[in-house]
Amino acid sequence: MRRRYRTGDQTFVREMNLSTVVRCLHEAAPLSRAGLASMTGLNKTTVSSLVEDLIDRGLVYEAGLDTSAGGRPATLLELNPQAGCIISVVLGVDHVAVIVTDFVGEIHWRRSTETDPTAGQEAILELALHIVDEAMQACRANDSRLLGLGLATPGTVNVDDGILVFSPNLQWYNVPFREILQKHTGLLVFVDNDANAAAQAEHLFGVAKRIHNFVTVFAGVGVGGGLFLNGELYRGAGGYAGEIGHASFMVDHYRRPCRCGNRGCWETSVAQDSVIERVRTRLAVGRNSLISRLMAEQRSPLTVPLIVQAADAGDAEAREALAETGSLLGLGIANLVSIFNPEMVVLGGPLSVAGEYLLPPIREAVRNTTLPEIHERVEIVLSAFGADASVVGAAALVVEDILRNPGRVERLSAQAHS
Ligand SMILES: [Zn+2]
């Protein structure tokens, strides 16, 4: 938990109220000052003063007039998308992606590049820092102030210290990402696990905006989970909750060795490599399929997008491989649904490009293996961000910090005088 130094109860209460107002605007804007007063239970004078403060910090702006109620029109307030820009970075197993977003999560700049995990930590970090420099230049060219930097990465993360503790798929241990990035950029830096970041993105900007209990499944090279429970991200005792890819519930012939050192982890049967393996096995026994032709035509290795392309063209092998993956994803998701009784499960990450083929068998598995009172109320949907879920999530880490603590953003009036 991040706690701010308390200079006195009044300051503390004002900071909490500032956060309450900015959060209401995030959830329900456009709102008038009177609307905010009734939503927060604060009196109108207090609300007006808080709103002036937020406008002075550039976080909120007057978006227009509400004439719908008749009488004197009220000024409507919204979060200011141009409050500043956010740099967000995903350091994945096989790629680095950097985007620049505004305060409401819209992407304004992006760059990504594939990486070779065998190139080593130093080379990959250097590449990431280089792209971050380009992103910062893009913001400066736009005259935008920088609100912070978020980084999402697979593996267990010590969020308080911004350290990647262990990434089984990268085989990296104890990388002090916050320190490295803070030193390099001078920005406030937030680091989290990629699936947790993806959950934060869905809550702030995506399909789970007003949902208080949901689970995200982020599937790509590995499979991570974000547990959003009772209105906030659930982190567990050590901060490592949601490592569902390494939940060991695969049965018998699916008990394959995992990069974490165990056998039978869920991700060994449902991550993107397993889909590719499923197709490869089918092709190896001489099944007639479009896939080989597509690979030759596009001079492409076997990838999930290519398998989806074949499935779209009606290829039975591609469809069966995706259906089998979907059933196995469904098996794990059904367990999550039984344990957490969420309102929603969100599937995101690179594998979600196959969502159209994965969702039906996932829904079927959940329907067949959970209690009716639980599965009748759960929606299983695709992420609003697809493969971008974790990089948008890294931006969400920064936005979430500002919503919690808007007083940390400098006043524009102070900037003008300095
Ligand atoms: Zn594992």
Side-chain angles (χ1 to χ4, degrees):
M1 286 288 276
R2 260 173 242 109
R3 286 227 169 82
R4 297 203 73 222
Y5 178 63
R6 288 169 56 170
T7 50
D9 279 353
Q10 260 181 327
T11 319
F12 180 66
V13 168
R14 184 164 173 93
E15 280 174 6
M16 281 201 6
N17 288 342
L18 216 50
S19 170
T20 304
V21 168
V22 79
R23 232 179 244 288
C24 284
L25 284 168
H26 172 260
E27 276 178 25
L31 287 168
S32 65
R33 287 170 176 81
L36 273 169
S38 70
M39 213 172 154
T40 58
L42 297 166
N43 72 49
K44 281 186 195 170
T45 319
T46 307
V47 165
S48 288
S49 152
L50 294 165
V51 165
E52 289 327 299
D53 189 329
L54 292 167
I55 290 176
D56 190 25
R57 292 179 202 278
L59 296 174
V60 167
Y61 78 122
E62 294 183 334
L65 293 175
D66 179 14
T67 50
S68 63
R72 214 182 79 193
T75 305
L76 291 173
L77 303 157
E78 280 183 17
L79 290 194
N80 179 11
Q82 270 97 50
C85 61
I86 294 163
I87 297 188
S88 55
V89 184
V90 163
L91 219 155
V93 177
D94 55 0
H95 71 288
V96 174
V98 179
I99 60 171
V100 173
T101 76
D102 60 23
F103 187 45
V104 296
E106 286 289 320
I107 300 175
H108 293 278
W109 184 94
R110 67 159 70 224
R111 188 130 321 163
S112 64
T113 179
E114 284 179 19
T115 54
D116 172 6
T118 61
Q121 197 181 109
E122 206 173 317
I124 293 174
L125 272 175
E126 199 175 310
L127 181 65
L129 292 178
H130 180 72
I131 308 178
V132 166
D133 287 342
E134 288 181 49
M136 287 176 77
Q137 275 162 22
C139 295
R140 290 203 186 98
N142 247 339
D143 243 358
S144 281
R145 66 174 162 177
L146 288 154
L147 296 171
L149 184 150
L151 178 130
T153 191
T156 47
V157 173
N158 174 336
V159 173
D160 287 335
D161 297 329
I163 294 171
L164 169 69
V165 177
F166 173 48
S167 167
N169 291 318
L170 279 162
Q171 289 293 318
W172 289 9
Y173 295 86
N174 297 318
V175 188
F177 278 129
R178 176 182 292 156
E179 194 188 318
I180 295 167
L181 284 156
Q182 221 147 337
K183 206 184 263 177
H184 189 81
T185 62
L187 296 172
L188 259 185
V189 174
F190 303 87
V191 183
D192 211 330
N193 164 273
D194 55 359
N196 281 350
Q200 199 63 266
E202 297 304 339
H203 177 63
L204 288 185
F205 314 124
V207 292
K209 215 169 165 185
R210 282 175 195 84
I211 297 198
H212 286 243
N213 291 286
F214 69 92
V215 175
T216 52
V217 175
F218 185 81
V221 175
V223 177
L227 306 171
F228 202 92
L229 307 173
N230 295 327
E232 54 186 79
L233 206 54
Y234 176 78
R235 295 192 177 279
Y240 310 131
E243 278 298 330
I244 54 176
H246 301 285
S248 183
F249 49 56
M250 297 316 298
V251 291
D252 297 338
H253 78 282
Y254 288 113
R255 293 187 62 80
R256 303 193 187 105
C258 179
R259 277 173 280 213
C260 72
N262 291 333
R263 288 185 79 82
C265 293
W266 188 34
E267 72 174 39
T268 60
S269 294
V270 298
Q272 63 189 21
D273 273 358
S274 74
V275 185
I276 290 168
E277 197 50 48
R278 230 157 253 141
V279 169
R280 200 168 275 146
T281 314
R282 285 160 186 274
L283 299 183
V285 296
R287 300 270 192 109
N288 186 22
S289 166
L290 248 184
I291 295 171
S292 312
R293 208 185 78 206
L294 288 175
M295 286 168 67
E297 275 172 12
Q298 299 174 18
R299 293 183 192 168
S300 163
L302 188 52
T303 62
V304 172
L306 191 132
I307 295 167
V308 172
Q309 210 186 338
D312 287 344
D315 185 75
E317 302 306 322
R319 288 188 173 195
E320 279 172 26
L322 290 171
E324 186 181 349
T325 311
S327 298
L328 295 171
L329 271 167
L331 174 74
I333 289 172
N335 280 309
L336 292 169
V337 166
S338 288
I339 296 168
F340 295 109
N341 184 21
E343 294 160 70
M344 185 180 269
V345 176
V346 186
L347 178 67
L351 195 58
S352 67
V353 298
E356 185 193 337
Y357 299 99
L358 299 172
L359 283 185
I362 290 174
R363 289 185 180 127
E364 194 188 330
V366 170
R367 214 168 30 241
N368 290 341
T369 56
T370 60
L371 297 169
E373 54 274 39
I374 291 177
H375 70 238
E376 276 162 10
R377 291 200 40 196
V378 65
E379 266 189 280
I380 300 167
V381 299
L382 290 179
S383 162
F385 311 108
D388 281 337
S390 62
V391 76
V392 175
L397 302 175
V398 179
V399 173
E400 172 58 26
D401 178 72
I402 294 173
L403 295 182
R404 194 186 304 128
N405 179 20
R408 84 153 169 85
V409 176
E410 207 182 338
R411 293 174 189 279
L412 299 173
S413 56
Q415 280 181 334
H417 295 146
S418 64

